[in-house]
Amino acid sequence: MKDRKFVVFATVVAVLVAILAFMAYMLIDKSTENEQLQELAELDRQEMAMQYRDFDTQYGELQKQLSNDSLIAQIEEERRHTQALLEELENTKATDAREIKRLRKEISTLRQVLRNYIMQVDSLNRLNESLMNENSEMKSQVSQANNQIYSLSTERNALKDKVNIAAQLDATGFWVSPRNKRGKDTSKAKDCKKLAFGFTIVKNVTAENGQRILYARILKPDNSVLGKKGTFAYEDTQLEYTEKKYVEYDGEEQTITMYSDIDEFVVAGTYKVFVFCDSQMIGQTSFSLK
C-alpha cells in the first residue's frame, strides 16, 4: 500500500516538475520573443527616422534651386513640420505602437507633399531654362541687329564721306600777277604793291548750289601770313587769311579773280597761295619775287 502511495506521489511530483519546466520554457521563450519584437520595433523606428531626415535633406536641396521667395517659404514651413515629426519620433519609445503607427502614416503624407514640390520645382526649372534660352537667343538677335546697325552706320558714314568728298569744290588753273603801284606786272619784291590772282572752280553737279565764301591764305617766305585780314574755321582750329570773296556757285565751271593790296614790306623769295572753301582746301599755287 505504501509503495502504491509513493508511486502516485512520485508521479504527481514528476507531472508538476514537467509543468513547471514547461512554464519556465514558455516564459523564457516569450521573453526572447518580446526582446526580438522590441529589437524589430527599434529598427523600424530608426528606419522611419532616416526617412524623415531624408525628407528634410531633400527640402533643403529644393530651396537651393529656387529664387521664388513665396515657394521657398512654403517649403521651409514643410521642412520645419518634418523636423518636428522627427523630434517626436526620437522622443517616442519603440514600444508605443499607437504613436509609431501615427508617425508612420505621416511619412506617407510627407512623401506625397514632397513629390508635389519636386514637380513644381522641376516645372519652374524647365520654365527658367526655356526663358534663359529665349533670353540668350534674344541677346544674340540684338547683338546681330547691333552689328548690322553698326555695319550700316559705317557704310553710311563711308558713303557720306564719299559724297562729301565728291561734293567738295575743286580749284585749278591758278595764276598770280604781282603788280607795282601803277598796276603794271612786276617780278621785283621792292616794287610789288598789289597782287592779282585767280583760278577756275571746276564743274561739280554733286555740290550744293548757293553762296560760298572763298578764303585766300598767302604765306610769305618765312611762312607768316601776308596782309592778315581775319580768321576762318578749318578743322579744329582758326586760320588767318589774306583775302576773302563771296561767290554764287551754280554747279558749273566758274572763273574767279581776287585782289590783295600790299601795305607791308615785301621780301624776295617764294610765296605760297592756298584757297579754302567750306572748311576745305580746294587748291594751291606759288609764285616768286626777286
Side-chain angles (χ1 to χ4, degrees):
M1 188 67 178
K2 289 181 180 180
D3 291 337
R4 182 182 179 84
K5 288 182 179 180
F6 177 78
V7 171
V8 172
F9 176 76
T11 301
V12 171
V13 171
V15 171
L16 290 174
V17 170
I19 292 172
L20 290 173
F22 177 75
M23 291 178 66
Y25 171 78
M26 291 300 291
L27 288 173
I28 293 172
D29 186 59
K30 188 67 174 179
S31 176
T32 302
E33 182 181 354
N34 287 338
E35 289 178 0
Q36 292 176 346
L37 290 174
Q38 287 181 9
E39 289 178 1
L40 290 174
E42 179 60 27
L43 290 174
D44 187 36
R45 192 174 73 90
Q46 292 178 8
E47 183 180 352
M48 289 169 59
M50 289 179 61
Q51 291 185 61
Y52 277 120
R53 293 189 183 95
D54 184 55
F55 291 153
D56 180 64
T57 300
Q58 291 189 60
Y59 277 131
E61 291 299 324
L62 287 178
Q63 287 177 309
K64 293 178 182 179
Q65 301 177 39
L66 294 171
S67 58
N68 185 306
D69 292 339
S70 176
L71 190 54
I72 290 175
Q74 294 177 38
I75 291 178
E76 180 61 28
E77 183 176 351
E78 289 299 329
R79 188 177 185 183
R80 285 197 296 267
H81 177 58
T82 301
Q83 292 170 348
L85 291 174
L86 175 60
E87 186 176 353
E88 290 182 28
L89 179 62
E90 290 176 340
N91 294 330
T92 299
K93 293 182 179 181
T95 55
D96 192 342
R98 179 179 297 178
E99 189 65 11
I100 293 296
K101 182 178 180 181
R102 181 184 71 82
L103 293 172
R104 184 181 291 108
K105 289 180 64 176
E106 289 285 356
I107 288 178
S108 178
T109 302
L110 290 175
R111 184 176 290 110
Q112 183 60 43
V113 172
L114 178 61
R115 184 181 296 113
N116 290 337
Y117 278 120
I118 290 175
M119 292 174 63
Q120 287 186 56
V121 172
D122 184 60
S123 178
L124 284 174
N125 286 339
R126 287 199 302 270
L127 177 61
N128 287 336
E129 183 178 359
S130 176
L131 291 174
M132 288 177 64
N133 290 336
E134 290 180 6
N135 186 44
S136 177
E137 183 178 353
M138 184 64 67
K139 286 182 178 180
S140 177
Q141 292 176 356
V142 170
S143 178
Q144 291 179 4
N146 287 336
N147 289 336
Q148 291 176 352
I149 291 172
Y150 177 78
S151 178
L152 290 174
S153 178
T154 302
E155 292 177 7
R156 182 187 64 185
N157 290 335
L159 180 60
K160 184 178 179 181
D161 290 340
K162 290 181 180 178
V163 171
N164 289 337
I165 292 173
Q168 290 177 13
L169 300 183
D170 186 27
T172 187
F174 278 85
W175 59 269
V176 180
S177 176
R179 298 178 180 180
N180 59 26
K181 61 182 180 181
R182 292 188 298 273
K184 302 296 184 179
D185 291 345
T186 182
S187 60
K188 296 180 179 180
K190 65 182 183 67
D191 295 332
C192 186
K193 299 300 178 181
K194 189 173 187 176
L195 286 176
F197 57 95
F199 48 87
T200 299
I201 298 179
V202 300
K203 179 179 179 179
N204 190 337
V205 295
T206 62
E208 183 179 355
N209 294 345
Q211 190 180 71
R212 296 287 202 284
I213 303 177
L214 301 177
Y215 294 95
R217 177 178 164 89
I218 302 176
L219 298 184
K220 295 185 289 186
D222 63 358
N223 287 324
S224 62
V225 178
L226 178 68
K228 294 178 287 188
K229 300 292 194 309
T231 62
F232 67 96
Y234 177 70
E235 295 183 350
D236 296 328
T237 188
Q238 293 287 320
L239 293 181
E240 294 175 323
Y241 64 87
T242 303
E243 297 292 338
K244 72 177 180 179
K245 184 173 185 175
Y246 292 89
V247 297
E248 195 69 27
Y249 186 70
D250 59 3
E252 298 297 326
E253 184 176 285
Q254 190 169 352
T255 299
I256 305 296
T257 300
M258 299 179 70
Y259 299 93
S260 179
D261 293 326
I262 300 176
D263 298 325
E264 60 185 270
F265 179 73
V266 178
V267 299
T270 300
Y271 290 75
K272 300 174 184 176
V273 181
F274 300 91
V275 178
F276 297 82
C277 183
D278 298 332
S279 298
Q280 300 290 332
M281 189 182 73
I282 64 173
Q284 64 178 339
T285 189
S286 64
F287 66 96
S288 297
L289 294 174
K290 298 178 182 178

